[in-house]
Amino acid sequence: MLKRTAITLATLTLLPLQSMAALQCATGLTHVNVNGSVTTLNVSETKQVGQICVSMIRTADGREVFDDCGAVVGKILSIDEPNQSSVLSHTALFSLRNLFVTHNDQAQITGVLAADDTGAPCAFSVVETISEIEKGTGVFRGGQIAVTATGSISFCPGKNLNTFALQGEACVRK
């Protein structure tokens, strides 16, 4: 049960790992570099809630296209316990009606960071990849994404905090 909980929590983080090959943006979208951070709390074995901060800089001229913090919810869709990986989705809501919902995000536990008093692992390093925007509004409408989230999750007693750094690229509304 503890191992399943750890794998479940590892998959709840936000924004994931993707090949850094340049996305081909559709007409009406502009290519941007994405940087940011995510901090969440575990509210169950299959759900996290917290804050996401994202900055997007247009690659063509270095102009800032988006810079905002919002709310994020992560939900596990499936777990592959033998491979310590999971598939999940994320919903991120920013001000000014900017929202995105991702689907088929991939999370992989890459190491154990801490154990509880019984010796059971309770904190893990995790890498996630996000590559599918299922729904988007505002700047994210019709967008594409290829972002990696690298960080850690913890459900150790008294340390229910998950943190991630975001890096990648996207195609967003001009």
Side-chain angles (χ1 to χ4, degrees):
M1 175 66 173
L2 187 55
K3 184 176 180 182
R4 180 177 176 87
T5 300
I7 292 170
T8 299
L9 291 174
T11 63
L12 287 175
T13 49
L14 180 65
L15 297 178
L17 169 69
Q18 180 71 2
S19 155
M20 292 310 287
L23 291 173
Q24 299 299 313
C25 298
T27 302
L29 300 178
T30 188
H31 188 266
V32 295
N33 290 320
V34 177
N35 289 292
S37 62
V38 176
T39 303
T40 61
L41 299 174
N42 307 309
V43 295
S44 75
E45 287 187 5
T46 60
K47 192 177 203 180
Q48 284 181 335
V49 297
Q51 181 181 51
I52 179 173
C53 294
V54 175
S55 177
M56 297 186 291
I57 307 295
R58 190 162 50 196
T59 55
D61 60 11
R63 190 175 138 244
E64 185 176 86
V65 174
F66 182 87
D67 187 16
D68 200 2
C69 293
V72 65
V73 176
K75 182 179 177 186
I76 291 180
L77 304 174
S78 67
I79 298 170
D80 180 352
E81 287 188 46
N83 292 315
Q84 295 187 333
S85 63
S86 299
V87 176
L88 55 154
S89 66
H90 292 96
T91 300
L93 175 63
F94 301 91
S95 60
L96 302 174
R97 300 182 190 212
N98 292 303
L99 161 110
F100 66 80
V101 178
T102 65
H103 185 69
N104 289 326
D105 303 341
Q106 305 293 313
Q108 181 69 53
I109 293 175
T110 58
V112 175
L113 299 175
D116 64 18
D117 292 342
T118 68
C122 61
F124 304 88
S125 55
V126 178
V127 174
E128 290 190 35
T129 59
I130 292 179
S131 59
E132 294 180 40
I133 294 179
E134 183 175 60
K135 176 184 177 183
T137 62
V139 71
F140 301 104
R141 185 171 51 90
Q144 298 168 260
I145 194 166
V147 173
T148 300
T150 305
S152 62
I153 62 163
S154 176
F155 61 97
C156 296
K159 295 182 182 171
N160 181 19
L161 184 66
N162 312 310
T163 59
F164 286 83
L166 307 175
Q167 187 171 19
E169 61 181 333
C171 295
V172 296
R173 291 272 157 213
K174 296 180 182 178

